[in-house]
Amino acid sequence: MTTLQILTPDQDLQCYFYQPSAVGALSATSPNGFTVSGSWRSQSDWVVIEWNRDNVFEHPVFRYLPDSDLSGLQLSYQEARTNCIPIDSALYPTVDWPYLRVWADPGTGEQLYRISLIGNATPVTGSYTPASAIFELQGAATGGDYIELAWDEEHYTYQLYGSDTLESAAAALANSINTFSPSMQASPNGTAITLTLTDSATGTNGNRIGVYGNAYSAPPNTPTERWQPVWQLLSGGVSPSTWQVNLDFSSISGLDENGATVPVPMNAVRKMRWTWAADLQAGNFLRSEFAVAVSNWAVNGSNRGYQVAGPGSWRVEDDDVSIGYTGQWTSVAGNYSGGSISYATLAGASVSYSYQAPQSHMLNLGTRRFPTAAQLSVQVDQNAPQVLNVALPGDDVLVRWDLGTMSGETQHTVTITHTGDAGSTFYFDFLEIAIPTTNLPTFVPDPQTTLATDWDTLNSQALAPERTAWQIQSLGFTGRANHYAGALWFYELTCAGQQYATGTIALSGATSFGDTTQISLGPTVFTHLNLIGDTPSSLAQAFALLIDEGATGVWAEANDGVLTITARIMGSAGNGLTLSVDVGGSTTLEAQTSGALAGGVDGDWLTDLTATPPINRAARDWSQSFFAALNGYGIEVTASFSMELGNGDSSAAAGIAQCYPDGSPTLVNTPALQTNFSPASLAYWQQVYLEMANVMSAAGVQPYLQFGEVQWWYFCPPTDPAAGNWTPIANGGMPFYDAYTTTTFQSQYGRPMHVFTDPSNDPTPYPQESAFLPGLIGQFTAEIMAFVRQTYANAQFEVLYPPDTNDAPLTSVINLPAQWSPADINCFKTENFTYTGDCDLDAAVTSIDLPMQLGFAPASSAHLVGIGNYMTPWAKECRIAEGLQLESVVLFALDQFCLIGYESPLSPWPGLGLFMGA
């Protein structure tokens, strides 16, 4: 890849999903297509694929310049969906799955447009088959009785003659249907009738249509006929499985915000989103995996090539001394260009910069767009001021705002002033003097150093895995990669304690033939004309079929005249929908309602410790594609897990939490639960590590797994750094006191375990605890390794150990088990974010050297360096580790390296911080 092109799946598409219940990710991306897959866990779940003009992910040297003109392009692709609402569904779109949404500016301010996908699609694989159902008339034929079949607003009745048989009655009813029904054909076969939708293009939509049957005899008689079954849904309806979508952006129409069909201004697009949603299930939602396979992706037309800031370009960061500030400004550090950003909240505050560039260039403002961003006035030289409406409802994103093309070899002065309302904020990140080019830079490979990926961050999770692997390789980092599977999104979830809201409508008495009965669910009204054979039971069933055919907010079931309505949305959000009945003036039909849906209870989203496989579909597919892409570049990779679970079950019943002496669980600021070393925890983590080994093997790479900080948590809660030590204010001490650990120690040594209050405690007087606590860690990791190696005998393992957080008398003993020796693990990796943040290179050197002190050869030793703070000597620390010839040096992480924009390759300059923009 030497150039970047608009709408290329492995270059400029991102994936987002409905949180917290859904999870989705891109995989198998290429210029020709992609897959988006994951897990649905509620009926409300959705996933989107987004193209965005404002690239916030790549390193500045690869970050394409904003280009909103798509009007010269034609996009075509094919897609096949699994467990998603079909593209031809007739359901009401509670989310915008029928559309390609486009945020574009027609010249009067940004608007949202919706382009119909089915309106631009044709089937390419499979064909339509209409849904059908078979009803059999059973019993005995009695003259004067009535038989009926009904669906939607249609109903067909036949009164038997004395000479009729079941066969002739069925044939007569079928004839009536064939004569009058606009939607159904009826084929009699003896006593059976096959109903088939006449419009085959209803496809799978027809499978939601319900039919019920009655038999009636004038009182006091009872009918001798009956239908088998009494009711059923049509089935067998099939729609095409693969669709061709053609979108001509040079001339395309869509719905505007008022619902009118208008041309979409594709020459001024900020972002576009494709949406897929969980397929409608028949009852309470059951977790399902989904996938959308997009193939034959092709983009034709003009103006497809991206440009980047090429040679001679530079950025002027917010902390540059050449920036002139007026007014009150505040600077904050973080994942911003150069590592910081400045902001002002008062009108009149401004920034100015004077410069001269050697050639014609773009001038870009780096700023933050969000709902309360300030209006800005931009003055360049003596040109008329520009007014920038930076506020962006519903979004929060760092962008580059094109201030215009400027001439070269000319002195320019730009002044940007806050002209917004009180309470609005102007964020100034940088000014970029960009000399556009389509050619991307190349870097000399560094076979020892790599960038870690973290699936808890959007720079990994949201991007195509092939895009992430390409960027690591293209930046020159070809050392053994370190992929942290994260603590927040890789596992499956279950919503413990959740209850759906329900309500009931009870019908009793007798129906009045010819009357109309109505049921209202909030503002939505369902109407049924009472048939001669209707009873309260059949009436309830008729309404259940009507509701389930088209309602997306609730589902219904009928039982002996009682209609139960259940919300599809989870928990308390389903409460409150009012229920009412209008019996049409009947004096014989009675109705009682529960008044409104109630009883919905919010649950807790917890890691599903019993899910098989334990890693969700999105994480599996993304990881497999990532590992395969790295392997294609000849880059080895290690997959890492810590002891943290963002949704871990902290209950005593689950038994997986590290606990403080008072029994409270260890919750860390990820936010996550720190799990323990009990059999319950071990059983879960064994399956997790094995499944990741399966994923790596499927990608064609040798399983290489890391125990990332698999130790006792390092602190008692809360820490008190200002006091110079660890001061337990609550919970009583260190996190060694879960039920399994305390009872096992009691059983083994015949006494309670000593209560350690903080890491500064001297463990020397407690030799049994000093052996027992690290022994649990060593046994835990040894059993995981043995478990994985039963399937993959060649699996490799490393540990990640932080000497800084273990730099205390207690933790230095209990967190370093004897089982972590060169004979047991393949590599010992250290990290020391605290030493780096304190600019303590002497301490960092001892950390880097620790594996060798433990007997590991340099070729079996590695070091991970935190790079989040540009003011620290992380680059020097990296060079020290490289100089000791360690097997690999890992920079944590990719997102900081790209967002801050550190220089690549790493400079040999010996100073503290290091940064160079595009």
Side-chain angles (χ1 to χ4, degrees):
M1 185 193 305
T2 56
T3 61
L4 301 174
Q5 292 187 306
I6 293 174
L7 288 172
T8 302
D10 57 351
Q11 294 180 356
D12 64 352
L13 299 183
Q14 292 80 240
C15 176
Y16 304 102
F17 51 86
Y18 182 63
Q19 298 180 14
S21 52
V23 65
L26 283 161
S27 62
T29 66
S30 74
N32 304 315
F34 61 86
T35 294
V36 57
S37 58
S39 292
W40 305 133
R41 297 154 183 150
S42 80
Q43 190 63 77
S44 304
D45 283 351
W46 50 259
V47 65
V48 299
I49 296 298
E50 177 181 288
W51 174 88
N52 201 307
R53 174 194 65 195
D54 300 303
N55 182 353
V56 299
F57 295 108
E58 261 72 18
H59 189 277
V61 298
F62 298 140
R63 194 175 300 176
Y64 53 79
L65 295 169
D67 187 347
S68 60
D69 187 1
L70 309 184
S71 62
L73 302 178
Q74 298 86 43
L75 168 64
S76 63
Y77 61 89
Q78 296 178 1
E79 70 156 71
R81 307 181 182 192
T82 302
N83 286 334
C84 301
I85 293 179
I87 192 173
D88 64 336
S89 175
L91 289 170
Y92 177 80
T94 51
V95 295
D96 281 320
W97 54 262
Y99 307 107
L100 170 62
R101 285 177 291 168
V102 179
W103 285 259
D105 187 348
T108 56
E110 184 174 281
Q111 294 189 37
L112 171 61
Y113 300 86
R114 292 174 171 87
I115 299 173
S116 170
L117 292 173
I118 190 63
N120 290 278
T122 55
V124 292
T125 300
S127 58
Y128 279 109
T129 300
S132 63
I134 299 175
F135 284 84
E136 184 176 6
L137 187 62
Q138 297 180 345
T142 299
D145 285 358
Y146 293 82
I147 57 172
E148 301 174 311
L149 290 174
W151 59 91
D152 292 341
E153 297 178 352
E154 298 184 47
H155 52 274
Y156 299 92
T157 302
Y158 175 71
Q159 184 177 23
L160 278 70
Y161 292 96
S163 59
D164 270 324
T165 63
L166 294 178
E167 290 84 350
S168 65
L173 184 59
N175 182 64
S176 177
I177 294 170
N178 289 333
T179 302
F180 298 106
S181 174
S183 66
M184 203 80 74
Q185 277 188 324
S187 300
N189 183 12
T191 60
I193 297 176
T194 298
L195 298 176
T196 304
L197 289 170
T198 53
D199 182 2
S200 64
T202 51
T204 56
N205 289 297
N207 296 333
R208 292 194 307 275
I209 297 174
V211 181
Y212 79 101
N214 289 329
Y216 172 80
S217 183
N221 300 317
T222 58
T224 58
E225 305 82 8
R226 62 184 182 276
W227 290 104
Q228 179 59 37
V230 175
W231 68 271
Q232 64 179 302
L233 296 178
L234 302 185
S235 61
V238 176
S239 294
S241 58
T242 304
W243 291 79
Q244 174 79 32
V245 179
N246 297 304
L247 301 168
D248 185 354
F249 293 150
S250 66
S251 177
I252 197 164
S253 295
L255 301 177
D256 67 9
E257 294 173 349
N258 297 317
T261 300
V262 297
V264 180
M266 298 300 296
N267 63 331
V269 178
R270 182 174 64 86
K271 71 176 181 179
M272 301 190 298
R273 280 189 163 189
W274 288 260
T275 304
W276 294 274
D279 202 2
L280 195 69
Q281 295 189 3
N284 289 339
F285 196 84
L286 298 176
R287 184 176 65 209
S288 63
E289 294 186 346
F290 74 90
V292 180
V294 174
S295 59
N296 295 324
W297 180 279
V299 182
N300 297 298
S302 59
N303 192 38
R304 192 184 177 197
Y306 280 122
Q307 294 181 312
V308 298
S313 303
W314 74 91
R315 283 189 179 183
V316 188
E317 301 296 343
D318 69 298
D319 59 354
D320 195 292
V321 294
S322 61
I323 293 289
Y325 286 96
T326 63
Q328 184 176 345
W329 289 83
T330 302
S331 178
V332 292
N335 288 333
Y336 307 105
S337 181
S340 64
I341 195 169
S342 296
Y343 68 89
T345 58
L346 298 178
S350 68
V351 296
S352 61
Y353 176 64
S354 297
Y355 71 97
Q356 181 172 314
Q359 64 191 87
S360 176
H361 58 278
M362 291 176 62
L363 178 61
N364 293 320
L365 166 65
T367 189
R368 177 184 172 194
R369 300 196 68 187
F370 64 112
T372 59
Q375 182 188 76
L376 305 178
S377 174
V378 179
Q379 177 83 50
V380 180
D381 301 333
Q382 301 303 312
N383 299 325
Q386 301 180 52
V387 175
L388 307 185
N389 294 309
V390 183
L392 188 61
D395 259 326
D396 190 342
V397 61
L398 295 172
V399 302
R400 284 177 291 181
W401 198 298
D402 182 3
L403 301 181
T405 300
M406 307 297 163
S407 58
E409 299 182 347
T410 301
Q411 186 75 10
H412 296 289
T413 298
V414 55
T415 301
I416 308 165
T417 305
H418 182 319
T419 57
D421 298 331
S424 62
T425 305
F426 169 24
Y427 278 87
F428 174 67
D429 197 0
F430 60 88
L431 285 168
E432 180 180 62
I433 290 79
I435 300 172
T437 181
T438 59
N439 297 318
L440 302 183
T442 58
F443 298 96
V444 177
D446 181 346
Q448 190 179 8
T449 309
T450 190
L451 290 169
T453 49
D454 181 353
W455 217 62
D456 285 344
T457 68
L458 294 178
N459 269 66
S460 293
Q461 178 199 94
L463 302 190
E466 292 80 4
R467 177 178 174 183
T468 301
W470 169 82
Q471 185 169 203
I472 292 171
Q473 184 271 341
S474 296
L475 286 168
F477 294 101
T478 59
R480 176 165 61 90
N482 195 147
H483 174 59
Y484 178 44
L488 303 179
W489 298 110
F490 76 83
Y491 40 78
E492 268 302 352
L493 290 176
T494 183
C495 197
Q498 191 277 147
Q499 295 183 35
Y500 289 98
T502 62
T504 58
I505 296 173
L507 301 174
S508 59
T511 61
S512 298
F513 176 43
D515 283 355
T516 296
T517 304
Q518 290 185 333
I519 286 179
S520 296
L521 308 181
T524 305
V525 179
F526 296 87
T527 301
H528 179 75
L529 178 66
N530 298 345
L531 308 183
I532 193 170
D534 270 335
T535 65
S537 180
S538 70
L539 198 58
Q541 186 60 64
F543 279 112
L545 295 176
L546 286 173
I547 292 168
D548 289 342
E549 180 179 343
T552 55
V554 298
W555 65 277
E557 60 182 345
N559 183 24
D560 197 23
V562 177
L563 182 65
T564 300
I565 313 294
T566 303
R568 293 188 182 276
I569 194 169
M570 301 178 80
S572 62
N575 293 333
L577 182 71
T578 57
L579 310 178
S580 62
V581 181
D582 181 350
V583 297
S586 174
T587 59
T588 58
L589 180 64
E590 298 180 356
Q592 290 185 328
T593 80
S594 61
L597 299 191
V601 177
D602 296 328
D604 294 317
W605 286 106
L606 299 176
T607 303
D608 189 342
L609 301 176
T610 64
T612 302
I615 300 176
N616 64 56
R617 173 75 181 270
R620 298 197 314 269
D621 289 357
W622 190 97
S623 298
Q624 182 174 328
S625 287
F626 181 56
F627 300 151
L630 288 172
N631 189 46
Y633 293 122
I635 299 175
E636 292 184 273
V637 61
T638 298
S640 171
F641 296 96
S642 66
M643 294 296 286
E644 299 175 30
L645 290 174
N647 296 83
D649 187 345
S650 61
S651 69
I656 63 168
Q658 291 187 22
C659 293
Y660 297 109
D662 71 345
S664 60
T666 303
L667 303 174
V668 300
N669 62 1
T670 309
L673 174 76
Q674 184 81 354
T675 58
N676 61 24
F677 303 102
S678 68
S681 181
L682 174 64
Y684 175 72
W685 285 110
Q686 282 178 323
Q687 295 297 330
V688 168
Y689 278 85
L690 176 60
E691 184 58 29
M692 186 57 80
N694 291 336
V695 170
M696 300 187 87
S697 178
V701 302
Q702 179 181 3
Y704 200 143
L705 302 166
Q706 180 193 103
F707 298 112
E709 299 180 355
V710 176
Q711 293 152 64
W712 296 106
W713 187 241
Y714 312 105
F715 312 109
C716 52
T719 59
D720 187 8
N725 58 16
W726 299 272
T727 302
I729 300 174
N731 304 344
M734 295 296 285
F736 313 146
Y737 301 95
D738 62 89
Y740 170 76
T741 301
T742 55
T743 58
T744 303
F745 184 90
Q746 175 82 42
S747 175
Q748 186 168 335
Y749 295 105
R751 65 174 178 85
M753 187 165 59
H754 173 72
V755 175
F756 294 99
T757 58
D758 66 66
S760 65
N761 292 171
D762 182 5
T764 305
Y766 308 98
Q768 291 173 334
E769 284 85 347
S770 297
F772 174 75
L773 290 171
L776 287 185
I777 301 175
Q779 180 182 355
F780 181 87
T781 55
E783 290 193 35
I784 289 176
M785 289 189 286
F787 184 77
V788 173
R789 284 172 174 156
Q790 290 175 6
T791 304
Y792 300 101
N794 65 341
Q796 294 183 290
F797 290 86
E798 72 174 6
V799 298
L800 176 63
Y801 179 84
D804 55 341
T805 53
N806 286 310
D807 190 6
L810 178 60
T811 50
S812 64
V813 171
I814 58 95
N815 270 335
L816 189 58
Q819 292 93 330
W820 291 354
S821 71
D824 300 302
I825 59 175
N826 300 94
C827 185
F828 195 101
K829 180 179 289 181
T830 54
E831 65 175 4
N832 45 252
F833 286 75
T834 305
Y835 297 158
T836 308
D838 291 343
C839 299
D840 190 344
L841 283 174
D842 290 336
V845 169
T846 65
S847 173
I848 295 168
D849 192 52
L850 178 62
M852 281 77 82
Q853 297 300 316
L854 296 174
F856 288 85
S860 298
S861 305
H863 187 62
L864 184 147
V865 185
I867 64 173
N869 186 343
Y870 75 109
M871 295 295 290
T872 66
W874 66 263
K876 182 175 284 188
E877 183 179 330
C878 175
R879 289 191 295 273
I880 292 171
E882 289 179 321
L884 292 174
Q885 300 300 307
L886 301 191
E887 179 266 344
S888 62
V889 180
V890 181
L891 306 182
F892 195 90
L894 171 69
D895 51 334
Q896 284 96 348
F897 194 87
C898 294
L899 295 173
I900 295 173
Y902 291 118
E903 180 185 23
S904 184
L906 300 182
S907 168
W909 182 68
L912 293 180
L914 180 66
F915 166 77
M916 187 180 77

